[in-house]
Amino acid sequence: MSSVCVVGLGHIGLPTAVTLARHGHTVLGVDTNQALVESVRQGRTSFHEPGLSEELALAVGNGALTVGTAPAEADAYVISVPTPVDGDTPVLTHIEDAAGAVGGVLSPGALVILESTVPPGTTAGVVRHALEATSGLRTGHDFWLAHCPERVLPGQILRELVENDRIIGGLDDEATRRAIELYRSFVTGKLVPTDATTAELVKLSENVYRDVNIALANDLAAVSEHVGADIWRVIEMANLHPRVNLHQPGPGVGGHCIPVAAHFLLAGVSVDAPVIRAARAVNASRPRRTVELARAACEGVDSPRVALLGVAYKAGVGDARATPATEIIEGLEAAGVEVRVHDPLASGFHRPLQTLDDALAGADLVLIVTDHAGFREIDPAHAATLVRRRVLLDGRNAVDLEAWRAAGFRVRRTGVADGA
Ligand code: SAJ
């Protein structure tokens, strides 16, 4: 086995480092965040992911994984650092800094893999140039460079890192071969060889596919409300068709991946792509639409108070960093609405979270933004004793509307006509 340096110990980098360590590699995990490095050194994770704490403790305990704030010489490097956006513009400074740091310790014969999601052409451009400039070595002659995007789902990362098929995009055939050799040491899925730019485009196509399909569901929800149908029944029945997979409408599209995929895909590309752009605009408008519906539900109420349930960016996770709930809360508070927030799983949200009862106390509207499974267990009769007005707006298909109606709530659901 080989020595691997994983640069970036976030939601993808840390599980990747742990998985490589578990499969016989000697791994150095690197991050510029000293506090994060220290906590990982002590076997503590900075986020919840099933099985990760146990695997980390094992890898650190048996010495297969060590951590630091700077890369060191290794047979292979995996760069997995954040690629945020500033407005619509992808920010590649973390990528450049990481590639520069790796270049500083790069030795002939090494393999460098970029896993971060980037605009097409980044690996062959920015990354290659940063590596060559700081190492004095040449790609394809002295070292090898590939782009291997990840497609794991938070909550299932450790399993999917091993089982998912991977796209292996080398700058040249030898880079692809060497990258396949590394991934074959832990991946049981297919390893599909291609070039770096194709691999970058595959990753973005996967996520733009999802963005466009969520936008389609949101458009169909608007039509459904207008014609008096229940979009959730429509989706359920349409998806009985063997070749239809309608996604789910909702109050917004969060996370660090789907909302930015269109911006990465179209960055610096002079192509119309009207469907992709329109879909992004539809999804970006959903939080505003949710604020409008919530304000309408509080019409005529003095000093309205909303109990907002669910701030994680999606059901079943605790990650509340890039969530539509933030824009919804800001929109409501800008309109003079008091918002109390409850989420049983969220961590790292930028405002205090209440217990369910404290959030419901005196509320004029119960607004469900994230469809955590636990919300289906809320007793509407108990909620009725706490709220000031029995009104529920379910932004997802999160609870049994009939049970809330039976407890005296007036209910509304995304994609269902008012009163239906
Ligand atoms: N959402 C909807 N309706 C849907 C599906 C999702 O409104 O039908 C919303 C969710 O509530 C959430 C957002 O979209 O706010 C993103 O949800 P997601 O299920 O796409 O979750 P991510 O971003 O954690 O994972 C996606 C996955 N990509 C695809 O499914 C094509 C995952 O495989 C990727 O690894 C990940 O993006 C990524 O890192 O790129």
Side-chain angles (χ1 to χ4, degrees):
M1 291 305 175
S2 57
S3 59
V4 184
C5 177
V6 177
V7 182
L9 296 178
H11 285 63
I12 303 300
L14 184 59
T16 301
V18 158
T19 301
L20 284 161
R22 180 152 56 87
H23 288 80
H25 298 282
T26 302
V27 182
L28 169 63
V30 171
D31 201 289
T32 53
N33 180 330
Q34 176 66 49
L36 175 65
V37 167
E38 200 41 51
S39 69
V40 171
R41 181 173 287 129
Q42 292 169 25
R44 291 198 317 270
T45 61
S46 58
F47 58 93
H48 177 70
E49 177 63 34
L52 183 61
S53 292
E54 297 80 352
E55 292 285 350
L56 174 62
L58 199 60
V60 170
N62 66 25
L65 172 62
T66 55
V67 288
T69 54
E73 188 170 347
D75 301 319
Y77 300 84
V78 176
I79 299 176
S80 185
V81 296
T83 46
V85 284
D86 177 5
D88 293 356
T89 307
V91 175
L92 300 180
T93 47
H94 300 301
I95 295 274
E96 289 172 292
D97 293 349
V102 166
V105 296
L106 199 59
S107 53
L111 168 68
V112 182
I113 289 168
L114 175 69
E115 287 205 353
S116 304
T117 302
V118 290
T122 302
T123 304
V126 163
V127 176
R128 171 183 184 163
H129 297 140
L131 287 165
E132 290 184 341
T134 52
S135 67
L137 301 176
R138 288 188 306 157
T139 314
H141 292 271
D142 305 314
F143 70 94
W144 284 269
L145 175 58
H147 176 63
C148 306
E150 51 75 25
R151 49 179 47 150
V152 294
L153 205 63
Q156 306 176 40
I157 293 179
L158 288 178
R159 178 175 63 77
E160 290 203 351
L161 270 178
V162 172
E163 296 179 3
N164 284 1
D165 298 345
R166 299 290 294 255
I167 309 302
I168 312 293
L171 247 60
D172 49 63
D173 291 349
E174 178 59 11
T176 302
R177 189 191 67 74
R178 289 170 181 244
I180 285 177
E181 191 180 335
L182 176 65
Y183 281 96
R184 184 46 68 215
S185 68
F186 67 93
V187 174
T188 58
K190 284 200 294 290
L191 298 175
V192 182
T194 185
D195 64 275
T197 301
T198 299
E200 290 162 337
L201 191 52
V202 166
K203 171 64 184 178
L204 293 171
S205 301
E206 291 165 3
N207 283 354
V208 163
Y209 158 84
R210 197 149 171 82
D211 204 23
V212 168
N213 276 281
I214 294 168
L216 171 61
N218 284 324
D219 273 359
L220 290 173
V223 172
S224 178
E225 285 173 22
H226 189 73
V227 301
D230 177 336
I231 188 60
W232 305 95
R233 293 286 296 137
V234 168
I235 290 168
E236 192 182 327
M237 288 183 255
N239 285 352
L240 292 175
H241 186 295
R243 286 172 298 285
V244 171
N245 175 28
L246 287 180
H247 285 34
Q248 310 258 307
V253 174
H256 285 273
C257 314
I258 305 302
V260 300
H263 302 315
F264 277 61
L265 188 71
L266 301 174
V269 170
S270 55
V271 169
D272 260 355
V275 171
I276 294 169
R277 295 178 197 277
R280 185 75 308 265
V282 165
N283 290 338
S285 74
R286 295 298 295 175
R288 283 193 304 277
R289 173 73 178 136
T290 304
V291 170
E292 288 163 10
L293 287 172
R295 290 186 61 191
C298 296
E299 189 72 38
V301 176
D302 283 337
S303 312
R305 178 184 295 177
V306 169
L308 188 144
L309 307 189
V311 293
Y313 81 88
K314 68 176 187 179
V317 301
D319 190 348
R321 293 171 300 163
T323 173
T326 298
E327 186 178 344
I328 292 169
I329 293 166
E330 289 170 354
L332 287 171
E333 291 183 333
V337 176
E338 181 192 350
V339 183
R340 290 189 179 185
V341 179
H342 167 72
D343 187 306
L345 301 182
S347 58
F349 194 51
H350 55 79
R351 57 183 288 151
L353 298 178
Q354 312 279 346
T355 64
L356 177 62
D357 283 13
D358 287 350
L360 290 172
D364 300 297
L365 170 68
V366 179
L367 170 60
I368 298 180
V369 171
T370 306
D371 47 335
H372 289 314
F375 289 163
R376 206 165 276 277
E377 311 311 318
I378 296 173
D379 174 4
H382 174 63
T385 66
L386 296 170
V387 297
R388 182 166 71 168
R389 290 170 73 240
R390 296 181 190 181
V391 183
L392 167 74
L393 173 56
D394 183 356
R396 304 269 180 182
N397 186 9
V399 295
D400 175 353
L401 293 189
E402 287 317 311
W404 285 74
R405 276 198 181 99
F409 280 82
R410 193 162 74 80
V411 302
R412 179 88 199 266
R413 169 172 287 159
T414 293
V416 181
D418 198 3

